[in-house]
PDB file of all heavy atoms in Angstrom:
ATOM      1  N   ARG A1281       8.053  -8.988 -10.734  1.00 69.00           N
ATOM      2  CA  ARG A1281       8.576 -10.186 -10.047  1.00 69.00           C
ATOM      3  C   ARG A1281      10.011  -9.994  -9.607  1.00 69.00           C
ATOM      4  O   ARG A1281      10.358 -10.316  -8.492  1.00 69.00           O
ATOM      5  CB  ARG A1281       8.490 -11.381 -11.013  1.00 69.00           C
ATOM      6  CG  ARG A1281       8.886 -12.673 -10.414  1.00 69.00           C
ATOM      7  CD  ARG A1281       8.602 -13.779 -11.393  1.00 69.00           C
ATOM      8  NE  ARG A1281       9.086 -13.445 -12.718  1.00 69.00           N
ATOM      9  CZ  ARG A1281      10.154 -14.005 -13.274  1.00 69.00           C
ATOM     10  NH1 ARG A1281      10.839 -14.873 -12.603  1.00 69.00           N
ATOM     11  NH2 ARG A1281      10.525 -13.660 -14.483  1.00 69.00           N
ATOM     12  N   ASP A1282      10.832  -9.456 -10.470  1.00 64.00           N
ATOM     13  CA  ASP A1282      12.237  -9.262 -10.135  1.00 64.00           C
ATOM     14  C   ASP A1282      12.522  -7.791 -10.076  1.00 64.00           C
ATOM     15  O   ASP A1282      12.344  -7.066 -11.057  1.00 64.00           O
ATOM     16  CB  ASP A1282      13.133  -9.925 -11.197  1.00 64.00           C
ATOM     17  CG  ASP A1282      14.569  -9.985 -10.781  1.00 64.00           C
ATOM     18  OD1 ASP A1282      14.839  -9.763  -9.573  1.00 64.00           O
ATOM     19  OD2 ASP A1282      15.413 -10.230 -11.634  1.00 64.00           O
ATOM     20  N   THR A1283      12.964  -7.298  -8.923  1.00 58.00           N
ATOM     21  CA  THR A1283      13.187  -5.877  -8.778  1.00 58.00           C
ATOM     22  C   THR A1283      14.675  -5.510  -8.892  1.00 58.00           C
ATOM     23  O   THR A1283      15.037  -4.400  -8.582  1.00 58.00           O
ATOM     24  CB  THR A1283      12.653  -5.389  -7.425  1.00 58.00           C
ATOM     25  OG1 THR A1283      13.274  -6.154  -6.394  1.00 58.00           O
ATOM     26  CG2 THR A1283      11.137  -5.551  -7.364  1.00 58.00           C
ATOM     27  N   ALA A1284      15.522  -6.431  -9.295  1.00 52.00           N
ATOM     28  CA  ALA A1284      16.929  -6.120  -9.462  1.00 52.00           C
ATOM     29  C   ALA A1284      17.109  -5.194 -10.645  1.00 52.00           C
ATOM     30  O   ALA A1284      16.447  -5.293 -11.653  1.00 52.00           O
ATOM     31  CB  ALA A1284      17.734  -7.410  -9.671  1.00 52.00           C
ATOM     32  N   GLU A1285      18.047  -4.271 -10.507  1.00 53.00           N
ATOM     33  CA  GLU A1285      18.307  -3.342 -11.600  1.00 53.00           C
ATOM     34  C   GLU A1285      19.001  -4.058 -12.728  1.00 53.00           C
ATOM     35  O   GLU A1285      19.842  -4.937 -12.518  1.00 53.00           O
ATOM     36  CB  GLU A1285      19.142  -2.172 -11.118  1.00 53.00           C
ATOM     37  CG  GLU A1285      18.372  -1.280 -10.175  1.00 53.00           C
ATOM     38  CD  GLU A1285      19.158  -0.041  -9.815  1.00 53.00           C
ATOM     39  OE1 GLU A1285      19.937   0.430 -10.669  1.00 53.00           O
ATOM     40  OE2 GLU A1285      18.978   0.446  -8.714  1.00 53.00           O
ATOM     41  N   GLY A1286      18.692  -3.660 -13.931  1.00 56.00           N
ATOM     42  CA  GLY A1286      19.323  -4.232 -15.102  1.00 56.00           C
ATOM     43  C   GLY A1286      18.702  -5.551 -15.545  1.00 56.00           C
ATOM     44  O   GLY A1286      19.235  -6.201 -16.401  1.00 56.00           O
ATOM     45  N   HIS A1287      17.592  -5.939 -14.948  1.00 55.00           N
ATOM     46  CA  HIS A1287      16.947  -7.192 -15.318  1.00 55.00           C
ATOM     47  C   HIS A1287      16.181  -6.985 -16.601  1.00 55.00           C
ATOM     48  O   HIS A1287      15.407  -6.061 -16.757  1.00 55.00           O
ATOM     49  CB  HIS A1287      15.992  -7.620 -14.211  1.00 55.00           C
ATOM     50  CG  HIS A1287      15.167  -8.814 -14.577  1.00 55.00           C
ATOM     51  ND1 HIS A1287      15.711 -10.061 -14.661  1.00 55.00           N
ATOM     52  CD2 HIS A1287      13.845  -8.936 -14.868  1.00 55.00           C
ATOM     53  CE1 HIS A1287      14.739 -10.916 -14.999  1.00 55.00           C
ATOM     54  NE2 HIS A1287      13.618 -10.253 -15.133  1.00 55.00           N
ATOM     55  N   GLU A1288      16.422  -7.876 -17.561  1.00 57.00           N
ATOM     56  CA  GLU A1288      15.668  -7.830 -18.805  1.00 57.00           C
ATOM     57  C   GLU A1288      14.401  -8.630 -18.637  1.00 57.00           C
ATOM     58  O   GLU A1288      14.411  -9.728 -18.108  1.00 57.00           O
ATOM     59  CB  GLU A1288      16.521  -8.407 -19.930  1.00 57.00           C
ATOM     60  CG  GLU A1288      17.768  -7.611 -20.208  1.00 57.00           C
ATOM     61  CD  GLU A1288      18.613  -8.240 -21.296  1.00 57.00           C
ATOM     62  OE1 GLU A1288      18.141  -9.173 -21.945  1.00 57.00           O
ATOM     63  OE2 GLU A1288      19.744  -7.755 -21.483  1.00 57.00           O
ATOM     64  N   PRO A1289      13.275  -8.091 -19.085  1.00 56.00           N
ATOM     65  CA  PRO A1289      12.021  -8.822 -18.906  1.00 56.00           C
ATOM     66  C   PRO A1289      11.990 -10.114 -19.717  1.00 56.00           C
ATOM     67  O   PRO A1289      12.565 -10.186 -20.811  1.00 56.00           O
ATOM     68  CB  PRO A1289      10.949  -7.845 -19.429  1.00 56.00           C
ATOM     69  CG  PRO A1289      11.690  -6.895 -20.333  1.00 56.00           C
ATOM     70  CD  PRO A1289      13.094  -6.817 -19.781  1.00 56.00           C
ATOM     71  N   ASP A1290      11.341 -11.114 -19.123  1.00 55.00           N
ATOM     72  CA  ASP A1290      11.201 -12.409 -19.811  1.00 55.00           C
ATOM     73  C   ASP A1290      10.195 -12.259 -20.917  1.00 55.00           C
ATOM     74  O   ASP A1290       9.158 -11.641 -20.759  1.00 55.00           O
ATOM     75  CB  ASP A1290      10.761 -13.478 -18.832  1.00 55.00           C
ATOM     76  CG  ASP A1290      11.813 -13.755 -17.781  1.00 55.00           C
ATOM     77  OD1 ASP A1290      12.992 -13.539 -18.081  1.00 55.00           O
ATOM     78  OD2 ASP A1290      11.449 -14.219 -16.693  1.00 55.00           O
ATOM     79  N   GLY A1291      10.465 -12.816 -22.025  1.00 54.00           N
ATOM     80  CA  GLY A1291       9.537 -12.743 -23.145  1.00 54.00           C
ATOM     81  C   GLY A1291      10.007 -13.634 -24.277  1.00 54.00           C
ATOM     82  O   GLY A1291      11.061 -14.237 -24.230  1.00 54.00           O
ATOM     83  N   PRO A1292       9.235 -13.704 -25.357  1.00 57.00           N
ATOM     84  CA  PRO A1292       9.593 -14.583 -26.461  1.00 57.00           C
ATOM     85  C   PRO A1292      10.844 -14.074 -27.194  1.00 57.00           C
ATOM     86  O   PRO A1292      11.536 -14.850 -27.835  1.00 57.00           O
ATOM     87  CB  PRO A1292       8.375 -14.563 -27.372  1.00 57.00           C
ATOM     88  CG  PRO A1292       7.625 -13.316 -26.999  1.00 57.00           C
ATOM     89  CD  PRO A1292       7.934 -13.075 -25.569  1.00 57.00           C
ATOM     90  N   ASP A1293      11.164 -12.779 -27.103  1.00 54.00           N
ATOM     91  CA  ASP A1293      12.323 -12.250 -27.787  1.00 54.00           C
ATOM     92  C   ASP A1293      13.618 -12.715 -27.148  1.00 54.00           C
ATOM     93  O   ASP A1293      14.650 -12.822 -27.797  1.00 54.00           O
ATOM     94  CB  ASP A1293      12.294 -10.718 -27.822  1.00 54.00           C
ATOM     95  CG  ASP A1293      11.114 -10.209 -28.633  1.00 54.00           C
ATOM     96  OD1 ASP A1293      10.624 -10.977 -29.470  1.00 54.00           O
ATOM     97  OD2 ASP A1293      10.689  -9.075 -28.396  1.00 54.00           O
ATOM     98  N   ASN A1294      13.594 -12.956 -25.850  1.00 52.00           N
ATOM     99  CA  ASN A1294      14.801 -13.340 -25.133  1.00 52.00           C
ATOM    100  C   ASN A1294      15.106 -14.825 -25.242  1.00 52.00           C
ATOM    101  O   ASN A1294      16.171 -15.259 -24.796  1.00 52.00           O
ATOM    102  CB  ASN A1294      14.699 -12.935 -23.654  1.00 52.00           C
ATOM    103  CG  ASN A1294      14.686 -11.415 -23.510  1.00 52.00           C
ATOM    104  OD1 ASN A1294      15.118 -10.711 -24.394  1.00 52.00           O
ATOM    105  ND2 ASN A1294      14.170 -10.964 -22.384  1.00 52.00           N
ATOM    106  N   ASP A1295      14.194 -15.607 -25.749  1.00 51.00           N
ATOM    107  CA  ASP A1295      14.397 -17.063 -25.826  1.00 51.00           C
ATOM    108  C   ASP A1295      15.234 -17.443 -27.024  1.00 51.00           C
ATOM    109  O   ASP A1295      15.809 -18.528 -27.064  1.00 51.00           O
ATOM    110  CB  ASP A1295      13.058 -17.795 -25.893  1.00 51.00           C
ATOM    111  CG  ASP A1295      12.297 -17.662 -24.588  1.00 51.00           C
ATOM    112  OD1 ASP A1295      12.953 -17.346 -23.544  1.00 51.00           O
ATOM    113  OD2 ASP A1295      11.078 -17.857 -24.566  1.00 51.00           O
ATOM    114  N   THR A1296      15.339 -16.594 -28.055  1.00 50.00           N
ATOM    115  CA  THR A1296      16.082 -16.937 -29.250  1.00 50.00           C
ATOM    116  C   THR A1296      17.564 -16.768 -29.002  1.00 50.00           C
ATOM    117  O   THR A1296      18.009 -15.809 -28.379  1.00 50.00           O
ATOM    118  CB  THR A1296      15.673 -16.040 -30.429  1.00 50.00           C
ATOM    119  OG1 THR A1296      15.912 -14.663 -30.063  1.00 50.00           O
ATOM    120  CG2 THR A1296      14.198 -16.246 -30.757  1.00 50.00           C
ATOM    121  N   PRO A1297      18.377 -17.684 -29.464  1.00 51.00           N
ATOM    122  CA  PRO A1297      19.829 -17.577 -29.240  1.00 51.00           C
ATOM    123  C   PRO A1297      20.418 -16.477 -30.126  1.00 51.00           C
ATOM    124  O   PRO A1297      19.893 -16.134 -31.179  1.00 51.00           O
ATOM    125  CB  PRO A1297      20.365 -18.950 -29.642  1.00 51.00           C
ATOM    126  CG  PRO A1297      19.348 -19.522 -30.542  1.00 51.00           C
ATOM    127  CD  PRO A1297      18.024 -18.963 -30.115  1.00 51.00           C
ATOM    128  N   ALA A1298      21.512 -15.925 -29.664  1.00 52.00           N
ATOM    129  CA  ALA A1298      22.174 -14.854 -30.400  1.00 52.00           C
ATOM    130  C   ALA A1298      22.839 -15.437 -31.651  1.00 52.00           C
ATOM    131  O   ALA A1298      23.441 -16.500 -31.622  1.00 52.00           O
ATOM    132  CB  ALA A1298      23.233 -14.183 -29.523  1.00 52.00           C
ATOM    133  N   THR A1299      22.674 -14.734 -32.794  1.00 55.00           N
ATOM    134  CA  THR A1299      23.219 -15.229 -34.043  1.00 55.00           C
ATOM    135  C   THR A1299      24.679 -14.894 -34.207  1.00 55.00           C
ATOM    136  O   THR A1299      25.368 -15.526 -34.993  1.00 55.00           O
ATOM    137  CB  THR A1299      22.428 -14.674 -35.215  1.00 55.00           C
ATOM    138  OG1 THR A1299      22.459 -13.245 -35.146  1.00 55.00           O
ATOM    139  CG2 THR A1299      21.006 -15.168 -35.191  1.00 55.00           C
TER     140      THR A1299
END
Side-chain angles (χ1 to χ4, degrees):
R1281 184 174 48 106
D1282 190 15
T1283 57
E1285 290 187 31
H1287 174 71
E1288 296 178 9
D1290 294 334
D1293 296 337
N1294 293 340
D1295 293 340
T1296 59
T1299 56

